[in-house]
Amino acid sequence: VKEGADLEVLSQSFEKIHKMDEGSAARTIEVQVDKNATLYYYPQPVIPFAQSAFDSKMTIHLEDETSRLFLLEIISCGRKASGERFRYRKYASKVSVWRSGSLIYRDNTRYEPEKMDMEGIGMYEGYTHMANIFLTGGSEELQQNIWEILEQEPECDGGVTKLVQNDLAVRIFGQRA
């Protein structure tokens, strides 16, 4: 994303990870956001079908404090209406965000439903969707606004954390995308 640009990356439909007999689908994203540039990355949610496996690696390099990022990932439990709730083999997503050559955020999500209680405490806890959000340059006011929205929304639960360099990490659980 070149200097002065605003780039919005969307997808036209939910990202479906289809059943596979062996192996794993993979996605690798490497992005450079120059100074005074902004990247908005929020594709539609991922739906892992039964017996699918997925590995995602996303690395984002922010040139400096003027480089902005709004990142959203939503992972569903699978095709709930088809009886495929947490029937996938594996979902792994590693996100690393660097600013001025220093790591400022890392999320390492790895789910293997056959080995984990996906409905239990610390996991989905009965919800069907989970959103991971990362925002650069978060303020106390924005953090408070997010908390208020979460408290007012009866169908979701979540939290927001202000990171060392004033960026925000948000995690939200819900019953729909």
Side-chain angles (χ1 to χ4, degrees):
V1 183
K2 293 296 183 185
E3 183 175 351
D6 285 342
L7 175 63
E8 182 177 43
V9 178
L10 308 167
S11 59
Q12 68 182 37
S13 68
F14 282 56
E15 188 169 8
K16 299 170 184 92
I17 305 165
H18 292 273
K19 175 183 175 181
M20 55 197 75
D21 294 330
E22 59 185 47
S24 178
R27 172 181 62 198
T28 302
I29 298 172
E30 182 101 17
V31 178
Q32 170 70 40
V33 181
D34 290 347
K35 62 183 175 181
N36 297 310
T38 304
L39 172 62
Y40 303 91
Y41 182 82
Y42 41 91
Q44 293 291 320
V46 173
I47 304 173
F49 288 22
Q51 297 306 307
S52 68
F54 184 64
D55 290 293
S56 174
K57 182 179 179 185
M58 183 182 312
T59 306
I60 300 171
H61 299 275
L62 306 173
E63 186 170 331
D64 62 20
E65 298 77 26
T66 66
S67 307
R68 309 277 297 169
L69 173 64
F70 301 89
L71 173 68
L72 167 66
E73 274 191 312
I74 299 176
I75 309 156
S76 78
C77 65
R79 296 189 301 175
K80 179 183 171 188
S82 297
E84 293 183 4
R85 187 176 174 110
F86 301 115
R87 300 265 319 274
Y88 53 91
R89 287 186 287 124
K90 177 180 77 170
Y91 177 90
S93 173
K94 291 182 182 177
V95 177
S96 300
V97 180
W98 299 77
R99 181 185 293 127
S100 303
S102 297
L103 183 66
I104 61 167
Y105 176 76
R106 174 160 293 162
D107 182 74
N108 185 8
T109 299
R110 184 177 181 93
Y111 297 137
E112 295 181 63
E114 290 182 3
K115 299 177 182 177
M116 305 167 147
D117 179 10
M118 298 300 295
E119 301 285 3
I121 293 176
M123 300 305 269
Y124 275 64
E125 299 183 21
Y127 290 101
T128 60
H129 292 73
M130 181 192 59
N132 287 321
I133 303 169
F134 176 81
L135 309 167
T136 56
S139 65
E140 294 289 335
E141 181 182 357
L142 178 58
Q143 185 180 18
Q144 187 59 38
N145 288 344
I146 293 169
W147 275 117
E148 289 172 12
I149 291 168
L150 289 171
E151 289 171 0
Q152 293 172 8
E153 181 55 54
E155 290 187 26
C156 69
D157 196 5
V160 57
T161 302
K162 188 172 185 182
L163 305 175
V164 174
Q165 295 185 9
N166 295 321
D167 304 302
L168 298 178
V170 183
R171 186 151 294 182
I172 302 171
F173 293 95
Q175 297 296 348
R176 56 187 160 81

